[in-house]
Amino acid sequence: MKKKGLLFALCLFLCISFNPIQAMAAESPSYSLSLTSNQTQVGSQVRVVVKGTQVTDLFGYEIRLSYDTTHLRFIKGTSPMNGFSVPAIVKEGQVIFAHTKVGKLPGDSGDVELASFTFENLSEGPAEIKLIQVKEVTSAMQAATVTSDSKLAMDITPKQGVAITFSDMANHWAQKAVERAASLGIVNGYDDGTFQPDGKVTRAEFTAMLVRAISLTSKDAQNMQFSDINDIPQWAKAYIFEAASAGVVTGYEDHSFGADRLISRAEMAVMVARAIGLESNSDEADSFADEDQIPAWALQEIKASRKAGLIQGRDNNYFVPDDQATRAEAAVLILAAYDNFQSANER
């Protein structure tokens, strides 16, 4: 009942008229689209973000955008703002997505990221996504509509991608997996042509890789509310919010996400198991030699990942859950999860 009441309130105040004199007194806000992930192959996903500049006291909003239904399929919309989202309305090539804060809170001001939208590339050819308008609502329940001509054009290419190689991956144990993951757009190399397989991976980086590989389903209209949200890199926010709303990532006891914190092997295995929906009741799976060192919160997911063939131990069958994962290990695990997910959805 509480959520229904909140959603009703959102729908109500989005229809409230605004005071034009007060609106003219403030600097005019503007809204635009930008790409956070532009995988151009058929079957891959593209993610776009709606951003606002010179925004004042934004408490709630309704976004309307259009897209090419011949080449694109809408998957979902998520918001980084605290509060609740109304499930997107999709009809005749248009998406309407609304979100509101809840309680006696101020609205957001300045440069604000409103929402992230995910689309699947259906077929070859040129495609366009256009932002039509944003209805704003302030904390004083004043509403205004801002039109936009911001649009993104892309050229969707055939499914077969160009093979990608890295200068430092020759004869590496993970060479084939890393290069395949790169060709799928899951992982990226560096400007000098290297992959740096032994480099460490942050929680933000691993989350981005995982979201690029797996199509996640939101489980709750309420997005995460991390205490260190301002410390999350802008490029990673859309990925982290999507993973959080799907229940794949959670914060620490102090409610922080720790975007720059190096991810552990245990955290990595748990996130992958949640992303592809592995059954956590896997007591029959083979044990690691250091199972007594695996934290209780990660044990069932690690067992499930091993049973599914996604993870293996290091030397002498040790999992070493607290060790920091390397870029090569992350790529291999996510590619295995990708294959598992694709196989499960083809059955």
Side-chain angles (χ1 to χ4, degrees):
M1 291 298 294
K2 182 179 179 181
K3 281 191 178 181
K4 288 183 179 179
L6 291 170
L7 297 182
F8 174 78
L10 174 59
C11 294
L12 179 63
F13 70 55
L14 283 171
C15 298
I16 298 174
S17 61
F18 70 105
N19 185 323
I21 297 177
Q22 291 180 350
M24 293 175 60
E27 291 189 32
S28 299
S30 62
Y31 296 94
S32 62
L33 290 172
S34 63
L35 289 170
T36 63
S37 174
N38 183 17
Q39 303 303 325
T40 60
Q41 294 182 12
V42 172
S44 61
Q45 294 182 358
V46 62
R47 291 178 178 81
V48 301
V49 168
V50 176
K51 297 180 180 179
T53 58
Q54 296 184 341
V55 173
T56 302
D57 191 26
L58 185 67
F59 189 84
Y61 61 78
E62 178 191 274
I63 295 172
R64 184 185 296 265
L65 53 80
S66 63
Y67 65 98
D68 184 349
T69 57
T70 302
H71 300 296
L72 297 170
R73 179 177 70 87
F74 176 76
I75 298 177
K76 58 192 166 186
T78 59
S79 175
M81 292 176 62
N82 293 341
F84 289 90
S85 297
V86 176
I89 299 173
V90 184
K91 185 177 181 181
E92 297 178 350
Q94 290 198 4
V95 178
I96 300 175
F97 179 78
H99 184 87
T100 180
K101 291 189 173 186
V102 179
K104 296 181 179 180
L105 298 173
D108 291 348
S109 298
D111 294 340
V112 178
E113 182 175 312
L114 276 67
S116 172
F117 298 95
T118 304
F119 296 85
E120 179 186 4
N121 299 329
L122 294 178
S123 59
E124 300 174 44
E128 182 179 271
I129 302 173
K130 182 178 180 180
L131 178 62
I132 300 173
Q133 66 180 35
V134 176
K135 285 186 179 180
E136 314 167 313
V137 179
T138 70
S139 59
M141 298 304 155
Q142 294 177 326
T145 298
V146 180
T147 58
S148 174
D149 59 1
S150 179
K151 57 186 177 182
L152 297 171
M154 62 200 75
D155 188 19
I156 302 174
T157 59
K159 191 171 185 178
Q160 295 76 17
V162 177
I164 296 176
T165 60
F166 298 104
S167 60
D168 58 346
M169 289 301 298
N171 301 318
H172 191 278
W173 65 270
Q175 179 181 2
K176 290 184 178 180
V178 167
E179 291 176 351
R180 181 168 168 242
S183 70
L184 290 169
I186 297 171
V187 300
N188 299 310
Y190 293 92
D191 292 339
D192 61 359
T194 64
F195 181 72
Q196 300 180 21
D198 296 325
K200 303 303 181 183
V201 183
T202 66
R203 282 168 54 83
E205 289 170 335
F206 186 80
T207 302
M209 294 179 196
L210 188 58
V211 173
R212 291 187 196 119
I214 308 297
S215 179
L216 303 177
T217 301
S218 179
K219 295 180 178 179
D220 196 329
Q222 183 178 17
N223 288 323
M224 88 318 181
Q225 301 180 27
F226 295 123
S227 61
D228 59 346
I229 189 171
N230 293 330
D231 297 327
I232 296 175
Q234 194 65 36
W235 65 265
K237 281 186 176 180
Y239 298 112
I240 293 171
F241 298 152
E242 186 168 333
S245 66
V248 171
V249 298
T250 56
Y252 294 102
E253 291 183 358
D254 62 354
H255 303 295
S256 66
F257 177 75
D260 293 331
R261 182 170 173 170
L262 297 180
I263 195 167
S264 71
R265 284 168 54 83
E267 290 174 325
M268 193 168 66
V270 168
M271 288 171 60
V272 164
R274 290 173 179 169
I276 63 177
L278 291 181
E279 292 290 337
S280 59
N281 186 15
S282 303
D283 291 331
E284 67 273 21
D286 293 337
S287 298
F288 288 107
D290 58 347
E291 184 172 308
D292 60 335
Q293 301 299 313
I294 297 175
W297 56 265
L299 182 58
Q300 288 302 315
E301 282 86 354
I302 289 173
K303 283 188 173 184
S305 297
R306 180 162 198 175
K307 182 182 177 183
L310 303 183
I311 61 173
Q312 299 177 348
R314 290 180 175 174
D315 294 341
N316 299 316
N317 194 36
Y318 281 85
F319 181 70
V320 285
D322 294 328
D323 269 21
Q324 294 160 349
T326 66
R327 283 171 54 82
E329 289 174 332
V332 169
L333 176 56
I334 290 178
L335 185 62
Y338 170 84
D339 288 337
N340 181 289
F341 182 81
Q342 294 297 113
S343 176
N345 282 274
E346 290 173 358
R347 293 170 190 166

